[in-house]
Amino acid sequence: MKRILAGFLVASLFALAACGGRSPAGRSGAGAETVKIGWIGPLSGANKTYGESAKRGVELALEEAGYKVGDLTVELIAGDDRSDSTEAVNLATKMMTQDRVAAIIGPVTSGSAIAVSAIAETYKVPMITATATAPKVTVNDDGKRKPFVFRACFIDPFQGQAAANFASRELGLKRAAVFYDKGNDYTIGLAEAFRETFEANGGEVVAWQSYSSEDTDFSAIMTNVAALKPDVLYLPDYYGRVSLIAKAAKDKGINVPMLGGDGWDSPDLDSATLAGGYVTAHYSEQDQREAVQQFATRFQERYGERPDSFAALGYDAAKLLLGAIERAGSTDGEALRAALQSTQDFPAVGGQLSFDEWGNPIKSAALLQVQADGSYKYITNVD
Amino acid sequence: MEHLLEQTLNGLQLGFVYALIAVGYTMVYGIIKLINFAHGDVFMVGAFLAYFGFTSWGLPWPVAVLVSMAGCAVLGVGIERLAYRPLRARGAPRIAALITAIGVSLFIEYFTSLNFVFGSDYRNVPRVLPDRRWELGGITVTNVQLLVLVTVLVLVASLQFVVYRTRVGKAMRAVAQDTDAARLMGIDVDRIIACTFALGSALAAAAGALFAVAYPQIHPFMGIMPGLKAFTAAVLGGIGSIPGALLGALVMGQVEVLTAAYVTTDFRDAIAFALLILVLLLRPTGLLGKTAPEKV
């Protein structure tokens, strides 16, 4: 029995190797009239609203282009990865080796995006994720760039930087208290970037406070922090924890502006306590720039719903890719990669966009203010 | 100095909540020598029932808390009836009951995190009281802190009354002292055990409701840490002793808050549990535990 199993395993390994060995070089196929684009994201499971929104954004962009780019007809092949990175890798491998897609838009979540980025590198097929914010998506562990990987959203540390710049330049604040969850990369990344930028701007971080995700009692910390008299609190965590921390701060009489990142974005945020606080976000539909207004109106007409940031970023990613195919005049992986990398001041919904050397967009963050009724008011864009 | 006083007050708030949970552990242990690990989860259910009572059923907060206490009393009796009594009736070894308790605890946590029960989301508890703070000689006192302190004092006083001034309380003490002798005296031991569970669970529910007001976020796994801390408090004070549980809880609350305030939050749990080990090394029966000879 064991031997049969082993034989079967070896056989399937060979089969896999044979598949991988088949060169996808002929993909661009001169004279091909269709260009296939893959899309990967969650359409079921815990994060399905992220995927649904992002996919709608992509489809809207393709519809506006009439499913055409140059002389080519665009065909979208969508796959549901349920936010599962193994499933995402299977889908990407199939799309690249069998469907021969020219590029992949997605995956939507960082875990899947990191897994698929390796496949994109192997087959030299560009991928552009709309919404995966983890720095590691475009960079290897050894700090080397993955040349075929791009994204349409800013990365986590950028939010901390943008928040710090807003606090020191727009609000003129000098003494910050920073709180972060020591077990969560997202909040650590934001907090560290905030501290660095805030200090570089001449501010002082008077409290640098960690907690664990088990903590519920912040009264001791807040009694200490109140005595330090900070003039701003930076709370880069998810909505639930932020609500608790903010409540504890108010209880100790700390009435200063609070700042946070896109983790605040939830109907469950304690907006009564956090009213007047500021968050960095990918985009706001209240932004009056033409690109944003056009997109928001069209999305509303097409789907009868206001677009969230996933929709906006999906739309941007698709437009970036179409633009690159057009400029490259080819669907060859290397030519597409070069065209994407040379994108300059692309008028995206999320802001004027170029790529830095790491495949991350250079663009601004939208700064929103929390209102007591739970809505967000657009304030400005910050770098 | 004011700073220290204010931190002490923070610690008192936390310690008082632990105290309400700890008396449940200690009473059940005192009477059937079982560590009811599901107690922390009863605390969680209490928080949820009060939350639903207040938000979904539109009850005034005090009524929601009473409903929650009643609901958890029933839950406590149910747990005893279904999980512990059958084992006791068959004379199973004590370790079997202990493992059952762990199983019951995990069952409650995972069952309540199903979507059609409570769901695994973190829920924010809406304000029960308007936000009020007073500055007294440089110390910040909130109405929530007063609410916690007063409620716990009232409940503990009522418990004292039940245990020392009523027939049921007398029977409880008798069963705790010697189950067989109590049975010979015509006491319905099973009924007294059920009463103990009901009483302890109702107090845990009140603790859950207070916890939800003081630290307004609830989820199905919220009972684990406070449960463990309260259990530790009960052991620290001398398990089986009600004054011991109260003392232990106050010590735990202070140690935690003072560590977070003057050392670092990273050490708060480590130091709290290190203290437990230290106390048990020096006084194996806990601070107020009796060194009674083993009954034969």
Side-chain angles (χ1 to χ4, degrees):
Chain A
M1 187 59 206
K2 236 182 220 163
R3 200 170 299 158
I4 297 174
L5 198 65
F8 178 73
L9 275 179
V10 169
S12 37
L13 271 180
F14 271 112
L16 268 182
C19 283
R22 210 190 302 148
S23 158
R27 181 180 48 251
S28 60
E33 271 132 24
T34 313
V35 53
K36 290 182 181 168
I37 295 175
W39 180 89
I40 299 174
L43 294 173
S44 57
N47 301 322
K48 77 172 199 170
T49 69
Y50 294 173
E52 281 167 353
S53 280
K55 182 158 171 276
R56 283 174 166 189
V58 171
E59 284 169 346
L60 184 65
L62 296 181
E63 277 168 26
E64 281 179 15
Y67 279 94
K68 283 253 180 234
V69 51
D71 300 332
L72 302 169
T73 305
V74 177
E75 187 187 333
L76 186 70
I77 299 172
D80 173 14
D81 71 352
R82 308 187 302 266
S83 294
D84 178 89
S85 52
T86 315
E87 187 60 27
V89 164
N90 291 342
L91 284 167
T93 311
K94 177 188 156 282
M95 286 176 186
M96 291 180 194
T97 57
Q98 291 175 29
D99 302 327
R100 303 294 169 107
V101 296
I104 282 186
I105 300 176
V108 166
T109 48
S110 289
S112 291
I114 291 171
V116 167
S117 67
I119 313 293
E121 290 299 304
T122 310
Y123 293 110
K124 304 208 181 313
V125 175
M127 85 167 225
I128 172 163
T129 169
T131 52
T133 50
K136 270 196 203 156
V137 172
T138 64
V139 181
N140 277 318
D141 283 337
D142 59 5
K144 281 218 194 74
R145 163 75 197 277
K146 301 168 186 167
F148 285 87
V149 186
F150 298 85
R151 72 176 115 213
C153 54
F154 50 61
I155 56 172
D156 288 338
F158 173 76
Q159 294 196 63
Q161 218 176 318
N165 282 335
F166 178 77
S168 32
R169 289 179 195 158
E170 305 284 327
L171 302 177
L173 302 172
K174 294 273 174 247
R175 297 166 63 81
V178 180
F179 299 80
Y180 64 97
D181 180 343
K182 62 175 186 265
N184 182 332
D185 285 341
Y186 167 77
T187 98
I188 297 172
L190 266 64
E192 280 177 349
F194 180 92
R195 175 163 74 167
E196 219 168 83
T197 312
F198 195 75
E199 284 176 345
N201 289 344
E204 190 191 348
V205 173
V206 293
W208 174 253
Q209 186 67 59
S210 71
Y211 49 84
S212 82
S213 50
E214 305 287 316
D215 285 355
T216 45
D217 175 18
F218 295 95
S219 58
I221 296 179
M222 284 305 166
T223 296
N224 280 353
V225 169
L228 298 169
K229 306 226 175 306
D231 48 25
V232 55
L233 302 187
Y234 188 52
L235 312 174
D237 203 338
Y238 304 132
Y239 58 90
R241 194 50 44 89
V242 167
S243 302
L244 267 185
I245 299 175
K247 173 78 167 60
K250 290 263 153 119
D251 281 349
K252 297 299 170 196
I254 306 177
N255 280 309
V256 300
M258 304 193 195
L259 264 68
D262 55 355
W264 285 26
D265 192 355
S266 162
D268 284 347
L269 184 77
D270 182 354
S271 48
T273 300
L274 284 156
Y278 299 95
V279 288
T280 46
H282 295 276
Y283 112 112
S284 161
E285 74 222 19
Q286 294 158 28
D287 185 344
Q288 290 305 317
R289 282 183 306 117
E290 203 191 324
V292 179
Q293 286 310 314
Q294 267 186 12
F295 163 71
T297 320
R298 283 185 193 148
F299 192 92
Q300 176 89 39
E301 279 168 11
R302 174 72 177 76
Y303 298 107
E305 247 175 53
R306 304 208 70 85
D308 60 13
S309 39
F310 285 89
L313 293 167
Y315 180 82
D316 280 354
K319 289 196 79 161
L320 275 166
L321 182 61
L322 292 183
I325 296 177
E326 194 150 24
R327 272 178 287 129
S330 148
T331 56
D332 172 63
E334 178 55 40
L336 259 184
R337 185 203 68 74
L340 267 173
Q341 184 67 55
S342 66
T343 304
Q344 281 294 331
D345 295 329
F346 187 83
V349 174
Q352 295 282 60
L353 182 156
S354 311
F355 283 111
D356 68 6
E357 56 181 312
W358 305 104
N360 299 322
I362 307 168
K363 63 172 187 182
S364 49
L367 207 111
L368 315 179
Q369 188 177 42
V370 183
Q371 308 295 305
D373 64 359
S375 66
Y376 293 88
K377 186 173 149 212
Y378 173 72
I379 303 293
T380 180
N381 276 358
V382 279
D383 297 316
Chain B
M1 190 58 206
E2 289 91 20
H3 190 69
L4 178 63
L5 273 178
E6 189 170 323
Q7 293 292 13
T8 313
L9 194 64
N10 292 336
L12 221 52
Q13 177 185 341
L14 191 61
F16 266 51
V17 176
Y18 288 162
L20 275 192
I21 319 175
V23 289
Y25 272 112
T26 227
M27 281 162 62
V28 166
Y29 183 85
I31 209 152
I32 51 172
K33 301 285 176 286
L34 165 75
I35 293 159
N36 177 18
F37 277 113
H39 198 59
D41 304 296
V42 174
F43 158 86
M44 176 272 291
V45 173
F48 268 92
L49 287 183
Y51 167 86
F52 285 127
F54 185 65
T55 58
S56 310
W57 309 329
L59 301 173
W61 178 251
V63 181
V65 175
L66 289 178
V67 169
S68 155
M69 289 173 74
C72 283
V74 173
L75 174 68
V77 172
I79 292 173
E80 199 277 322
R81 189 66 221 254
L82 293 175
Y84 304 145
R85 192 187 292 182
L87 287 175
R88 210 165 52 242
R90 279 168 217 182
R94 209 177 284 164
I95 186 82
L98 192 70
I99 291 167
T100 306
I102 295 173
V104 171
S105 162
L106 291 170
F107 170 77
I108 296 178
E109 284 156 20
Y110 286 94
F111 180 74
T112 53
S113 51
L114 293 174
N115 276 333
F116 65 88
V117 192
F118 298 158
S120 58
D121 293 348
Y122 283 56
R123 292 165 189 267
N124 285 327
V125 181
R127 298 278 183 294
V128 167
L129 299 169
D131 287 327
R132 286 280 147 69
R133 301 187 306 112
W134 299 280
E135 303 275 344
L136 299 176
I139 309 172
T140 309
V141 183
T142 64
N143 50 359
V144 170
Q145 284 175 323
L146 291 182
L147 173 78
V148 171
L149 301 188
V150 171
T151 314
V152 174
L153 284 177
V154 168
L155 288 174
V156 169
S158 325
L159 177 71
Q160 266 325 77
F161 179 81
V162 170
V163 172
Y164 289 100
R165 292 278 182 279
T166 62
R167 282 176 61 88
V168 175
K170 204 173 190 179
M172 275 180 190
R173 284 180 288 138
V175 175
Q177 210 164 51
D178 191 326
T179 315
D180 292 328
R183 188 173 285 126
L184 289 175
M185 292 297 118
I187 293 174
D188 183 347
V189 170
D190 280 340
R191 198 176 68 85
I192 295 303
I193 292 173
C195 283
T196 311
F197 270 85
L199 209 53
S201 302
L203 291 178
L210 288 177
F211 197 83
V213 175
Y215 313 108
Q217 189 180 67
I218 58 175
H219 57 98
F221 296 92
M222 66 182 276
I224 300 177
M225 244 332 183
L228 205 54
K229 295 270 175 59
F231 162 64
T232 308
V235 174
L236 183 66
I239 194 147
S241 145
I242 292 178
L246 299 177
L247 178 67
L250 293 185
V251 170
M252 282 295 285
Q254 288 305 342
V255 169
E256 252 191 70
V257 163
L258 295 182
T259 308
Y262 296 106
V263 189
T264 147
T265 46
D266 298 351
F267 286 172
R268 85 196 286 165
D269 295 343
I271 293 191
F273 289 116
L275 179 82
L276 168 77
I277 297 172
L278 192 71
V279 168
L280 291 185
L281 283 177
L282 298 174
R283 272 189 69 93
T285 51
L287 293 172
L288 299 186
K290 291 186 205 70
T291 43
E294 191 67 25
K295 283 182 293 229
V296 197

